[in-house]
Amino acid sequence: MRPEILHPLFATTDTLDGVGPKIAKALAKLKLDRLVDLLFHLPTGSIQRIATDTLGHHLVGQRIVITLTPIDLREGRGRAPLRVYARDGSDNMVALTFFNRAGWARQQFPLGEEVRVSGRLDAYGDDLQMVHPDVVKEEPPLREPVYPLSEGITNKRMREFIAQALKAAPALPEWIEPSVKADRDWLDWRGALAAAHGDTGNAAARARLGYDEVFANQLALLLIRQSARRTKTQPLQGDGSLSESLNLPFDLTGAQNRCVSEIRGDMAQDRPMLRLLQGDVGSGKTLVALLAMLEAVEAGAQAAMLAPTEILARQHYEGLKRLCDPIGVNVAILTGRDKGRVREATLMGLADGLIHILVGTHAIFQPAVSYKALGLIVVDEQHRFGVSQRLMLSEKGKRPPHLLAMTATPIPRTLTLTQYGEMEVSRIDELPPGRQPIETLVMSENRIDEIVAALERHIATGEQAYWVCPLVEESEKLDAAAAEERAASLKARLGDAVGLVHGRMRSEEKDAVMERFASGNLAILVATTVIEVGVDVPNATLMIIEGADRFGLAQLHQLRGRVGRGTGKSRCLLLRGDTLSETSRARLALMRETNDGFRIAEEDLRLRGPGEILGTRQSGDHSFRLVEPEDLPSIAPAAQADAQMLLDRDGGLEGERGKAARIALYLFERDAAVGLLKGG
């Protein structure tokens, strides 16, 4: 139950003066539904103004506020602008220039009457000019914060709404350890909030707010770990009979063996395992997960493997079944597509224990799905599942099952701490021997005809290719349109060998196209980023990424990882636009230089920030709103140490500082994410 002191902050924005249904809808587009959302909507810059009585060339380029007297008005012919000539108190002249606003300007600037104006002073030849200056009704602030806006909301109105929200914000008890706050000379929470909105250059105020957010996150993750350590479960320790019977055509790498040993050590304990398995594309994570699941089966338990998409679930099912059938381990699959007798048979097999390993999508955790002895859950592509979902999965067994999370998105150590701080981490940091690096080339989009000709030669050899279309303004609809256009142009030249998948297609349609590509019935798959995970086609040896300069490094690396899965030489073509920013240039150069996903992830954090790496729209996780990406490496360890000190030395959530920290958890909504403070 949320503390009463926070109730004003969680009031909806329609309680503010001036916010009706239309404005509330505009605010909702910015995800500003409550007062707390407005308070955390920090300015991205500021407008500086100079109040002056006298015009002069030394002020050119500055925004000024000045009193002027219009003395002449000259109409433009055709499309020429209207100019109002005005003078200051010292008879210096300026032309006030208006395009398409002649009627308004005539009303606002009557000749011979003083008018207070605000705008940018520019030079037009030897003369001074102000284009579209504002008439000042109320004296504007000399320093005005500038906010991200949506249609229907001006910067002035946004400032008014935030001012009301600040007025409603209560003073909160201090949750930061006193010496940490004193060393950094930080204001209290409410003072820092007001300072961050009032002065966009106040780095200390912003640092304080970012620290608060990361501190609440770290405390929540530590509470999950603490709760898991208090919880008892069934230790799982096998005899090795099944894993030793596996017919593998290769030896495990040293990194795989190390990770298997760490996982088995956790599973042998009487508290639930919470472990994250990181490994680059092709490093062999699935085999490590299989050995963990066989360990559970040897110990008399069942295992479940959760995948984010149906096609990835079916891919895992086929691979696991191929290895497990010869050793007598029963693997089944359950997705939303499975109905009727097939579904009933699977449910019965789970309930009576005949099914040892179940693979599927979220359908495997529906209330109707009952396990006889669920002992281990494996979550693939962990970055698609949030903290609250991780906990939901662990409530399925009679006792809390062990949890192994996997991700092929290499995550920088800083983000591992901030996103998965409740977990132990294993890293597969070497690739199996013989796996060839993918050759990466950067080419101009102007050479598209050459590229299509090369693609035609490529598929003539019997090999397959992906063509990924560019991101268009963060719009799934526009992304789909771009993919449809590219697919149509390729089909005109290459015929029915071209297939298309995008995010606006129904899942059954996508799966059907991907299955045709995987079976070799399609030579080229044109796609949006829906293929980032979930496709394993060894015969696909060419990846073309159009508009590569619009993608983040980690996403480019994931897309590139769709090829290079067979024995043939694989290539990735990154097509770039004509004008590149320094960041885009550095990003593409690094892709050309290295196939090391962990190095790429660290660089991506530096260049783009955490939300871009993990996905800002992933369900279940809260993206950070206040902390600056470049501050995370220094803030996260300090905030974790502070949170740990609270639990170890300061009485946890029951001590004086702990009660304040509890408020911080509710303020940053980490209580809902972790589900540990219900009723409290």
Side-chain angles (χ1 to χ4, degrees):
M1 187 173 174
R2 184 181 297 130
E4 190 174 340
I5 194 172
L6 293 179
H7 287 179
L9 297 178
F10 286 84
T12 55
T13 53
D14 58 11
T15 60
L16 297 174
D17 291 340
V19 179
K22 189 174 180 181
I23 294 295
K25 190 174 180 181
L27 288 170
K29 287 182 180 177
L30 294 166
K31 298 183 179 177
L32 305 178
D33 301 305
R34 306 158 305 176
L35 270 60
V36 69
D37 301 322
L38 279 169
L39 292 173
F40 291 167
H41 189 65
L42 297 181
T44 53
S46 64
I47 295 172
Q48 308 265 5
R49 296 185 180 90
I50 297 172
T52 181
D53 296 324
T54 309
L55 295 163
H57 281 270
H58 65 288
L59 294 172
V60 166
Q62 303 291 330
R63 291 181 178 272
I64 64 171
V65 184
I66 189 169
T67 300
L68 299 172
T69 303
I71 60 170
D72 192 14
L73 184 149
R74 296 182 190 174
E75 299 277 3
R77 290 184 179 179
R79 296 189 178 182
L82 170 77
R83 287 190 171 88
V84 177
Y85 289 90
R87 65 187 178 198
D88 63 16
S90 301
D91 285 339
N92 298 304
M93 296 293 295
V94 62
L96 310 180
T97 304
F98 298 92
F99 297 86
N100 304 320
R101 296 182 69 189
W104 178 86
R106 288 191 203 94
Q107 290 180 345
Q108 298 296 321
F109 296 93
L111 299 184
E113 296 183 20
E114 286 189 347
V115 181
R116 188 78 166 157
V117 301
S118 172
R120 177 188 165 99
L121 185 66
D122 291 308
Y124 185 66
D126 292 332
D127 299 324
L128 296 175
Q129 173 177 263
M130 296 174 75
V131 177
H132 287 221
D134 295 318
V135 174
V136 175
K137 304 293 185 185
E138 298 174 13
E139 199 68 14
L142 296 184
R143 185 186 182 101
E144 178 184 355
V146 175
Y147 293 93
L149 303 171
S150 66
E151 188 177 352
I153 299 181
T154 63
N155 198 65
K156 181 182 177 185
R157 297 202 81 175
M158 182 66 79
R159 285 193 296 113
E160 290 170 353
F161 298 148
I162 288 171
Q164 290 184 61
L166 281 169
K167 195 172 180 180
L172 299 178
E174 187 56 74
W175 48 74
I176 297 178
E177 205 282 325
S179 65
V180 172
K181 183 184 175 191
D183 287 348
R184 291 161 172 78
D185 195 25
W186 279 343
L187 297 166
D188 59 24
W189 175 77
R190 193 186 182 288
L193 200 59
H197 282 288
D199 183 353
T200 56
N202 194 323
R206 285 176 170 253
R208 153 84 211 225
L209 297 175
Y211 183 93
D212 291 337
E213 185 175 33
V214 177
F215 169 79
N217 187 70
Q218 290 302 303
L219 179 58
L221 295 176
L222 288 172
L223 286 168
I224 294 175
R225 180 180 287 192
Q226 191 180 76
S227 175
R229 286 174 175 168
R230 286 197 304 263
T231 303
K232 295 295 183 182
T233 193
Q234 179 67 41
L236 299 178
Q237 193 162 16
D239 58 9
S241 58
L242 294 175
S243 57
E244 289 168 9
S245 300
L246 277 179
N247 184 20
L248 299 176
F250 48 79
D251 294 328
L252 269 65
T253 64
Q256 284 176 309
N257 278 317
R258 183 184 70 247
C259 292
V260 169
S261 177
E262 291 168 350
I263 292 164
R264 284 175 172 164
D266 281 0
M267 292 173 62
Q269 306 303 313
D270 63 357
R271 64 175 186 267
M273 171 175 69
L274 282 174
R275 185 168 286 275
L276 176 68
L277 176 63
Q278 289 193 63
D280 212 341
V281 175
S283 60
K285 295 180 301 300
T286 306
L287 181 56
V288 171
L290 172 58
L291 292 171
M293 291 189 284
L294 292 179
E295 183 87 1
V297 176
E298 289 169 2
Q302 294 166 297
M305 187 175 202
L306 175 67
T309 65
E310 184 159 322
I311 191 166
L312 186 54
R314 294 194 179 279
Q315 183 176 295
H316 280 316
Y317 166 69
E318 289 163 7
L320 294 176
K321 189 171 176 59
R322 190 167 55 249
L323 289 169
C324 289
D325 275 356
I327 61 174
V329 173
N330 189 7
V331 182
I333 185 167
L334 186 64
T335 70
R337 186 195 295 181
D338 299 304
K339 310 287 184 189
R341 291 182 180 178
V342 173
R343 175 181 166 82
E344 289 303 316
T346 302
L347 294 180
M348 288 179 63
L350 288 172
D352 61 21
L354 290 178
I355 293 175
H356 303 118
I357 296 174
L358 181 68
V359 181
T361 56
H362 280 93
I364 69 177
F365 292 106
Q366 291 171 346
V369 182
S370 177
Y371 299 79
K372 181 180 181 181
L374 181 61
L376 172 66
I377 297 170
V378 177
V379 181
D380 193 19
E381 290 308 329
Q382 169 59 37
H383 70 289
R384 302 287 180 101
F385 303 97
V387 173
S388 57
Q389 289 167 309
R390 300 205 282 267
L391 293 179
M392 176 271 292
L393 303 182
S394 66
E395 294 171 358
K396 257 298 176 183
K398 292 183 176 67
R399 291 187 180 184
H402 298 278
L403 177 65
L404 176 65
M406 303 195 301
T407 180
T409 302
I411 304 169
R413 294 186 187 278
T414 299
L415 289 190
T416 302
L417 185 65
T418 57
Q419 297 290 333
Y420 305 109
E422 86 277 25
M423 293 185 169
E424 304 295 339
V425 179
S426 293
R427 275 191 170 197
I428 306 179
D429 50 12
E430 62 179 303
L431 294 177
R435 184 174 168 88
Q436 297 184 58
I438 300 162
E439 182 184 2
T440 302
L441 305 170
V442 179
M443 300 179 70
S444 169
E445 290 177 347
N446 294 332
R447 299 173 64 185
I448 199 81
D449 290 339
E450 293 176 53
I451 292 161
V452 173
L455 175 63
E456 189 171 16
R457 292 193 298 273
H458 176 82
I459 64 172
T461 67
E463 294 181 81
Q464 293 166 276
Y466 299 98
W467 188 303
V468 177
C469 291
L471 294 166
V472 185
E473 298 177 7
E474 293 292 319
S475 164
E476 194 176 67
K477 183 176 181 180
L478 293 176
D479 287 350
E484 287 167 347
E485 186 178 335
R486 177 56 63 199
S489 69
L490 290 176
K491 278 183 179 180
R493 177 159 176 173
L494 305 173
D496 293 335
V498 181
L500 168 68
V501 292
H502 56 70
R504 290 174 65 83
M505 294 167 64
R506 294 199 309 273
S507 58
E508 313 89 74
E509 293 178 307
K510 281 189 287 191
D511 289 348
V513 175
M514 287 189 175
E515 284 168 11
R516 287 185 65 204
F517 184 67
S519 64
N521 292 323
L522 292 173
I524 300 163
L525 186 64
V526 177
T528 57
T529 55
V530 295
I531 63 152
E532 187 179 339
V533 297
V535 189
D536 189 357
V537 184
N539 192 47
T541 55
L542 175 63
M543 167 65 72
I544 299 171
I545 304 176
E546 194 173 348
D549 45 304
R550 303 184 199 178
F551 292 87
L553 272 170
Q555 196 170 34
L556 286 174
H557 181 65
Q558 285 296 300
L559 290 168
R560 176 170 64 181
R562 294 301 101 206
V563 298
R565 292 172 170 259
T567 55
K569 175 74 175 174
S570 291
R571 289 182 174 83
C572 177
L573 299 185
L574 303 178
L575 309 188
R576 59 166 178 79
D578 285 337
T579 56
L580 288 180
S581 67
E582 286 303 311
T583 298
S584 295
R585 200 176 299 279
R587 192 182 297 145
L588 296 179
L590 187 67
M591 286 295 297
R592 197 170 51 223
E593 178 187 327
T594 183
N595 279 259
D596 183 345
F598 288 105
R599 180 183 167 197
I600 285 169
E602 295 287 350
E603 185 66 9
D604 210 20
L605 174 63
R606 188 182 71 81
L607 291 174
R608 285 164 65 87
E612 297 288 351
I613 293 174
L614 296 175
T616 55
R617 289 184 294 272
Q618 63 198 7
S619 77
D621 274 326
H622 292 267
S623 57
F624 290 119
R625 293 188 285 181
L626 299 176
V627 65
E628 296 293 337
E630 60 270 21
D631 294 335
L632 263 176
S634 60
I635 285 180
Q640 189 192 48
D642 193 3
Q644 191 71 62
M645 192 184 303
L646 169 68
L647 297 178
D648 294 345
R649 187 199 71 182
D650 297 340
L653 296 186
E654 302 309 315
E656 200 60 37
R657 185 160 82 96
K659 291 175 183 175
R662 184 184 289 259
I663 291 173
L665 287 168
Y666 279 98
L667 174 66
F668 292 102
E669 298 178 271
R670 262 46 182 186
D671 59 301
V674 301
L676 290 175
L677 301 178
K678 291 175 182 174

